[in-house]
Amino acid sequence: MHRSASLSIWSGDKLRRAAEFIAVPALALAISAAIFSAILLAMGQPPAAFFQLLWRGAFGTAFSWQNTLQRAAPLILTALCVALPARAGLMVIGGEGAFVMGGLAAAAAALPLLGWAPASLVLLLMAIAGTAAGALWIGLVGVLRHRRGVNETIASLLLAYIAVAVLSFLVEGPLRDPASPNKPSTHPIGAETMLGPIPGTSVHWGLAAGLVACLAAHVLISRTTVGFAIRIAGGNPRAALGQGLPVGRLLVLCCLLAGAAAGLAGFFDVATVHGAANVSLVAGYGFTGILVSFLARHNALAIPPVAILFGGLGAAGGLIQRRLGLPDATVALLEGVIFVTLLTSETLYGRFAIFQPRGARRGP
């Protein structure tokens, strides 16, 4: 009986903790909507019309849903680039760099093979090249943190800007297609090499890859000894070192896996959308992935629904711009308001008695 009561209390405490992780972000989103409504009113725009168009452009029709899922696919993978290192106590925000390098490497790997290698082999090598490039790019952040104590946030952000510079140099120089004078680009990989959509939809396979990657990340972190070691290292590095855990190697491993996810997203962007590497790769998916990961509390299973939410924001941007005459940066402003509100809401965790474990000591 005593054991049954203990299990019941433990289950109740776990449910309360899970409810807090849902309630606090939901409150942050509601406050963000209120703040943004005030901004719209100051601009002379009706908030009700804005949010109605937002819903219609994101989820109102089958076409809207597919457009939303298309935009959510890279966000899932770039959010993993933030979430995996975060479980080890690292704040890596350079997923944009890994995304760009993954797309660039994928396009560059395809060029020597075009015209003689089968499309399946080209796509496989593109995926390997993109994943490896992203892994090495963010893996360098882990090495710098482990070997030299360089702050991973600063290092990953600087590397993101370096990646954009490398892309610009190569597509405007050694890899430039002479047939693209107005928009510097690599040679196209060709329609026959492009990866088709998921059957019956217009959504590319990056969505399926993202869902599988999130499931694999959840299993790794929650169901393996390596994941347990990562959680210990992220929660208390000194205790992890005291237990003999290879904290440095765990940090590097998380960065490698994180970069691989963002690099894979870059591959899909080239192989399914652009067909070449150019400045269109710098679309901000890596930076939006930061917000997605934060709102999901760095939980791999929570990332897909949050990514779909932000994919919907991007999908509705054009409709809002046309109907209300608002600038195209309006959705970006909304995302910024959400991000600031979300960061502020971090101070609310542990402050509501209803979510505290039974018998927990209350503050004065």
Side-chain angles (χ1 to χ4, degrees):
M1 179 67 70
H2 177 70
R3 182 177 181 182
S4 176
S6 298
L7 287 174
S8 178
I9 293 173
W10 179 81
S11 299
D13 291 344
K14 191 173 182 180
L15 286 174
R16 278 189 287 271
R17 183 174 175 83
E20 183 180 32
F21 288 151
I22 296 174
V24 172
L27 177 62
L29 288 176
I31 294 174
S32 299
I35 294 174
F36 196 73
S37 295
I39 295 174
L40 289 172
L41 288 173
M43 298 171 61
Q45 296 289 347
F50 175 87
F51 288 109
Q52 182 181 10
L53 288 172
L54 181 63
W55 174 262
R56 181 179 176 185
F59 311 109
T61 65
F63 174 81
S64 299
W65 261 106
Q66 294 189 72
N67 194 12
T68 293
L69 294 176
Q70 181 89 348
R71 292 171 180 267
L75 293 179
I76 294 173
L77 291 168
T78 55
L80 277 178
C81 189
V82 180
L84 285 172
R87 302 306 297 267
L90 299 180
M91 188 47 55
V92 173
I93 60 173
E96 185 79 356
F99 180 88
V100 168
M101 293 305 294
L104 178 62
L111 296 181
L113 305 175
L114 297 179
W116 64 272
S120 57
L121 176 60
V122 175
L123 287 169
L124 175 62
L125 293 178
M126 286 175 65
I128 293 173
T131 303
L136 292 175
W137 202 252
I138 301 299
L140 178 59
V141 174
V143 172
L144 289 173
R145 170 62 188 270
H146 172 45
R147 295 292 185 182
R148 292 291 181 263
V150 178
N151 182 278
E152 71 280 358
T153 305
I154 296 174
S156 60
L157 182 60
L158 291 177
L159 281 172
Y161 288 107
I162 292 173
V164 174
V166 170
L167 171 70
S168 297
F169 170 75
L170 291 178
V171 300
E172 293 179 10
L175 298 181
R176 181 168 185 171
D177 178 13
S180 59
N182 296 325
K183 187 176 184 179
S185 172
T186 62
H187 287 78
I189 63 175
E192 65 280 359
T193 310
M194 296 282 286
L195 188 63
I198 297 174
T201 72
S202 61
V203 183
H204 64 66
W205 284 98
L207 178 66
L211 295 176
V212 171
C214 283
L215 180 61
H218 173 72
V219 171
L220 171 67
I221 297 297
S222 303
R223 297 290 186 267
T224 66
T225 55
V226 173
F228 179 74
I230 289 172
R231 299 200 309 271
I232 295 296
N236 193 329
R238 290 187 178 181
L241 288 171
Q243 293 296 319
L245 295 177
V247 174
R249 280 184 287 174
L250 290 173
L251 298 182
V252 174
L253 173 63
C254 284
C255 287
L256 286 170
L257 294 176
L264 183 62
F267 153 72
F268 278 110
D269 208 45
V270 168
T272 63
V273 179
H274 302 300
N278 50 49
V279 292
S280 295
L281 284 171
V282 190
Y285 287 124
F287 293 119
T288 306
I290 301 170
L291 182 53
V292 172
S293 181
F294 266 86
L295 192 57
R297 298 286 299 173
H298 309 307
N299 184 326
L301 293 184
I303 283 176
V306 177
I308 290 173
L309 170 64
F310 282 91
L313 292 179
L319 179 63
I320 291 170
Q321 183 181 5
R322 292 192 303 271
R323 294 294 181 86
L324 297 181
L326 291 171
D328 57 359
T330 303
V331 171
L333 175 61
L334 175 58
E335 291 180 353
V337 171
I338 294 174
F339 190 44
V340 172
T341 308
L342 184 64
L343 289 178
T344 306
S345 72
E346 291 287 315
T347 62
L348 298 178
Y349 286 97
R351 292 182 177 272
F352 297 102
I354 191 175
F355 299 125
Q356 298 306 302
R358 184 178 302 180
R361 181 176 299 177
R362 300 178 184 274

